[in-house]
DNA sequence: AACACACCCAACCGCATCCTT
DNA sequence: GAAGGATGCGGTTGGGTGTGT
């Protein structure tokens, strides 16, 4: 018996065991994220830094949202992908609690396949009538400067990061300002949150409005910059060319 | 019940970019 | 500015599981 187990070839996929998860979780909670290369040495885990980082980021991190994608999330992924392509980390950044790996997998297994089928079966709208016809959706949507919004009492905290505004200004968000509620900044027309701090729609009061809301309304200026390499009027023109 | 096939998703890999010295 | 290490990202792999025959 024992011999058989020893001789049995090791699986190529080295799945994480619950005890390893516990070790990593405790270590990161105690020492913080970063220095992944040293995590394996210091924690006693026989894992590479990249593996530890990935496990933490995709699985162990607080506020990770697991389980089925909501229709809203799915819709957002479809629209974001239309605009950004395979920029999974960017797309995941708009889906608090979801990881890039999860979004990527979801796209590859559910949405990508369906979008291919959908082209042939446009009339089968019972499941996703919001998909109707992406081209039509895009054409009827007009550019408006903001993006997603949250209800006043459910706004996530902001942290000390640089926000890129539609007019091209960079605004440094200070940590101490972060306790002031509203994610929507009137003065900068920007909205931002991180998935760590923004425990997703459903868990929080943040809301996304779909169907009648313009496509661009899910994107903040940072995403526009990532998509088009510019902001403001220039981004608007680029956006229009994509839509048309 | 047994087998084959398809699907899902966690983990790995290689490259690009960022950061530190 | 250059070099080397750390980190981030997207593509791919492969093992587990579900489903059909």
């Amino acid at each position: 018996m024992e011999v058989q187990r020893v001789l049995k070839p090791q699986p190529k996929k080295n799945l994480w065991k619950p005890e390893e998860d516990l070790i990593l979780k405790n270590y990161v909670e105690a020492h913080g994220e970063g220095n992944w290369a040293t995590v394996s040495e210091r924690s006693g885990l026989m894992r590479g830094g990249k593996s530890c980082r990935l496990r933490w980021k995709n699985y162990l991190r607080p506020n990770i949202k697991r389980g089925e994608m909501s229709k809203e999330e799915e819709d957002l992924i479809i629209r974001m992908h239309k605009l950004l392509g395979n920029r999974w980390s960017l797309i995941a950044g708009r889906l608090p609690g979801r990881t890039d790996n999860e979004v990527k997998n979801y796209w590859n297994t559910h949405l990508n396949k369906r979008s291919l089928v959908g082209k042939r079966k446009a009339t089968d709208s019972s499941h996703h009538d919001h998909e109707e016809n992406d081209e039509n959706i895009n054409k009827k949507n007009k550019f408006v400067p903001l993006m997603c919004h949250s209800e006043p009492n459910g706004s996530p905290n902001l942290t000390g990061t640089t926000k890129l505004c539609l007019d091209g200004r960079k605004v440094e968000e200070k940590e101490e300002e972060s306790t002031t509620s509203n994610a929507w900044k009137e003065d900068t027309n920007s909205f931002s949150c991180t998935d760590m701090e923004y425990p997703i729609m459903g868990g929080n009061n943040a809301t996304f409005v779909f169907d009648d809301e313009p496509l661009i309304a899910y994107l903040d200026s940072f995403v526009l910059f990532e998509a088009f390499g510019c902001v403001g009027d220039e981004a608007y023109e680029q956006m229009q060319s994509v839509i048309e």
Side-chain angles (χ1 to χ4, degrees):
Chain A
M1 284 293 262
E2 195 61 35
V3 175
Q4 276 182 331
R5 203 182 338 152
V6 171
L7 292 177
K8 194 179 169 184
Q10 290 294 314
K12 282 193 175 181
K13 291 272 177 177
N14 202 358
L15 295 179
W16 281 71
K17 299 181 185 73
E19 53 267 33
E20 288 180 302
D21 282 344
L22 192 63
I23 292 170
L24 180 59
K25 193 161 184 283
N26 289 339
Y27 184 89
V28 174
E29 281 171 358
H31 299 90
E33 292 182 53
N35 294 320
W36 296 109
T38 63
V39 167
S40 57
E41 301 167 18
R42 298 188 180 182
S43 66
L45 285 168
M46 303 302 285
R47 299 273 182 178
K50 287 175 89 168
S51 185
C52 292
R53 181 190 144 268
L54 204 67
R55 184 64 180 174
W56 172 259
K57 190 182 153 206
N58 289 336
Y59 208 84
L60 300 174
R61 206 172 44 152
N63 298 332
I64 286 286
K65 188 186 180 191
R66 310 201 68 80
E68 274 194 32
M69 292 275 182
S70 67
K71 192 183 170 193
E72 286 77 15
E73 288 174 299
E74 189 181 303
D75 200 357
L76 184 52
I77 291 170
I78 292 167
R79 291 170 190 237
M80 293 280 284
H81 186 270
K82 182 103 183 166
L83 187 66
L84 298 169
N86 297 357
R87 308 288 295 276
W88 305 118
S89 62
L90 266 180
I91 296 172
R94 300 300 102 188
L95 291 165
R98 300 293 186 184
T99 68
D100 52 359
N101 206 34
E102 195 178 7
V103 171
K104 179 173 60 183
N105 282 333
Y106 191 74
W107 175 266
N108 288 334
T109 57
H110 296 86
L111 304 178
N112 194 26
K113 195 181 304 169
R114 191 187 304 152
S115 74
L116 292 173
V117 173
K119 283 194 167 65
R120 282 186 277 116
K121 292 177 57 174
T123 53
D124 181 17
S125 59
S126 58
H127 184 51
H128 286 287
D129 49 0
H130 56 286
E131 265 177 44
E132 53 158 350
N133 180 328
D134 283 343
E135 262 182 53
N136 288 340
I137 292 171
N138 287 346
K139 279 179 181 166
K140 74 186 176 194
N141 288 328
K142 290 179 186 163
F143 182 93
V144 292
L146 174 69
M147 301 322 153
C148 56
H149 58 85
S150 62
E151 291 173 1
N153 63 349
S155 303
N157 292 336
L158 298 173
T159 55
T161 54
T162 300
K163 305 289 161 45
L164 193 60
C165 304
L166 279 176
D167 60 7
R169 282 177 296 146
K170 279 186 178 177
V171 178
E172 194 71 23
E173 298 281 354
K174 295 285 191 292
E175 197 76 50
E176 49 270 30
E177 291 169 3
S178 68
T179 53
T180 63
S181 54
N182 282 341
W184 168 237
K185 298 287 190 181
E186 292 289 344
D187 58 333
T188 62
N189 271 8
S190 66
F191 175 91
S192 180
C193 63
T194 70
D195 47 4
M196 290 292 287
E197 299 149 346
Y198 188 15
I200 191 69
M201 26 310 210
N204 206 328
N205 291 332
T207 57
F208 290 83
V209 182
F210 295 87
D211 296 335
D212 295 332
E213 189 170 308
L215 163 67
I216 198 77
Y218 308 120
L219 311 173
D220 62 19
S221 50
F222 176 74
V223 173
L224 284 178
F225 183 77
E226 286 292 317
F228 303 119
C230 56
V231 293
D233 291 343
E234 207 180 332
Y236 171 74
E237 284 165 19
Q238 299 257 11
M239 184 68 203
Q240 291 292 5
S241 68
V242 169
I243 291 171
E244 288 152 12

